[in-house]
Amino acid sequence: MSSEKDFSEIVSGLAKKRGFYWGPSPEIYGGSAGFYDLGPLGKLLKNRLENVIRTSFVKANFWEVECPTVSPEIVWKASGHLDGFIDPLTKCTKCEQVYRADNLVEELADGESLKGLSLEEMTSRIQELGIQCPKCKSELGSVEQYNLMLKTTLGLDQTAYMRPETATSTYLLFRRLLTFFRDKLPAMVFQIGNAYRNEISPRQGMLRLREFTQVEGQIFILDADEMNWAPYEEVKTETLPLLTYQSQESGSEDVQKVALEQAVKKGYFQKPAYAWCVWLAHKIFSGMGFDDSNMRLRQHLPTERAHYAADAWDVELHTKSFGWVECCGIHDRGNYDLSRHQEFSKQKLSVKVDKKPVVPNVLEIAFGVERPLFCLIDNCYDVNEKGEVWLRFPPHLAPIQAAVFPLMGKEELVGPAAEIYHDILDSGLVTQLDQGGSIGRRYRRQDEIGTPFCITVDYDTLEDDTVTLRERDSMQQVRIKRSEVVPVLHQLVKREITFSSLTT
Ligand SMILES: [Zn+2]
């Protein structure tokens, strides 16, 4: 466990040193836990992840929307967040330090859990277990509910909350969306935007944030379509790495690679449309650089599920820092959300099926962008025995895709190098012109930030119009024509060709 914690510090150390992320923010005022700034490379990386996410949803026929991040209290009353989005807290009676009661028990009492207990039961369980304030060893106070939403005020006195997820704001658009989709369901939309959770003393850096970018895709769908879903037919032979709740209950962590249609046949998924959502989440995370060696789909145990949820699976990513990390939830929410908003808004949120009003169901894919971002840096981190570090990002995700070096800072070399740099930039890739220090030092700097390709302009360039192209992972070099630099880079970044195909 201690070595795992050290690794997360190594990752964060590199991330801070090279400008991926900084914090807690604002650093010069001591920082508030759960807030981070993205540096230039972190922002580029996050943009790349968001591009993968956006493209994947659009290809799957979802439409993007954007809603306000603040909504009045009634919205959160209706959504259930005001009453249900809560953590159990206990405060030390002496030093007044506040703790998450459930986490404290899990950390300090082996095998114990407060899951499913009432507040009174939690309080007496903590006393029975003899758990005291870890800081000053005094008695802990009674367990109380604490709402995780950030409260604010609109105008002089209207209570409002920062959204703790994007989904609710999307549900509120249902009537408008129905018109947009010409009264036809299913309707598929997604949103990428900020959400806020007022976590008590968040730790684990980028994994537990008070402000983060959330992605949520929603399908508004009727019962019949959930069982008869055309996109499922196209992908049903593809396999997914599944960890079912039955395996977990039998104490197994073994992932089974199961074809989608087998999983439906065996009852792991009840509905083809839901199975397709799990497939889509897996596809999005594959695009973000994870494969089945470091990704699994874990089904929630029946005790973990929200009361209205028919089924729930998570995408989990394996990290060297924290082991398996929950990164995405796929939820079958039934018609809970639209029914609640229909009740509270007194607006009709139903459609006609056989001349009767029916409130549609929601299938949902929900995740934050910062977690896969951290997991990717963690997974791509590599170090050799000399202590030299690489970030082995897949080329399509690397913040900087190619760096250009003039061999020396002489005008006759800097000129052509700058021209190549501008050509690459104009072609839509991100590049950097670096003239400082020896070529070896410059390669090392780019390896450390994950730049997959470097181009060096030398005196041969002036003779025969060729440059050296060097690949990060193999450290191999090849001479290519200057006119081929841009097309070859695009093919390499899109993985249409391999570097080794250039060397033979
Ligand atoms: Zn205390």
Side-chain angles (χ1 to χ4, degrees), residues 406-416 435 459:
L407 183 67
M408 286 186 276
K410 299 220 166 105
E411 188 53 41
E412 65 262 41
L413 297 179
V414 173
Q435 319 182 26
Y459 284 102

Side-chain angles (χ1 to χ4, degrees), residues 1 5 88 90 97-115 126 129-135 137 140 199-204 208 322:
M1 200 59 196
K5 281 199 175 129
T90 175
Q97 177 75 34
V98 177
Y99 302 96
R100 278 268 304 259
D102 48 348
N103 291 355
L104 198 62
V105 166
E106 275 168 33
E107 273 171 37
L108 299 182
D110 213 20
E112 288 289 337
S113 167
L114 296 181
K115 262 183 196 134
I126 286 175
L129 291 167
I131 292 174
Q132 297 168 321
C133 171
K135 220 165 129 191
K137 305 289 168 214
L140 292 164
E199 309 264 3
I200 289 295
S201 53
R203 285 174 288 173
Q204 294 187 307
R208 203 161 279 285
F322 301 107

Side-chain angles (χ1 to χ4, degrees), residues 45 49 288-290 317 319 370-381 391-394 397-398:
L45 183 59
L49 296 180
M288 289 196 285
F290 304 96
L317 301 177
T319 62
E370 288 81 358
R371 283 194 181 193
L373 184 142
F374 173 84
C375 293
L376 189 64
I377 297 175
D378 170 290
N379 278 208
C380 292
Y381 186 98
L391 285 177
R392 301 197 186 276
F393 293 127
L397 298 173

Side-chain angles (χ1 to χ4, degrees), residues 92 95 133 136:
C92 173
C95 76
C133 171
C136 76

Side-chain angles (χ1 to χ4, degrees), residues 268-280:
Y268 299 157
F269 304 124
Q270 311 295 323
K271 304 165 182 173
Y274 179 79
W276 179 80
C277 288
V278 176
W279 170 86
L280 180 59

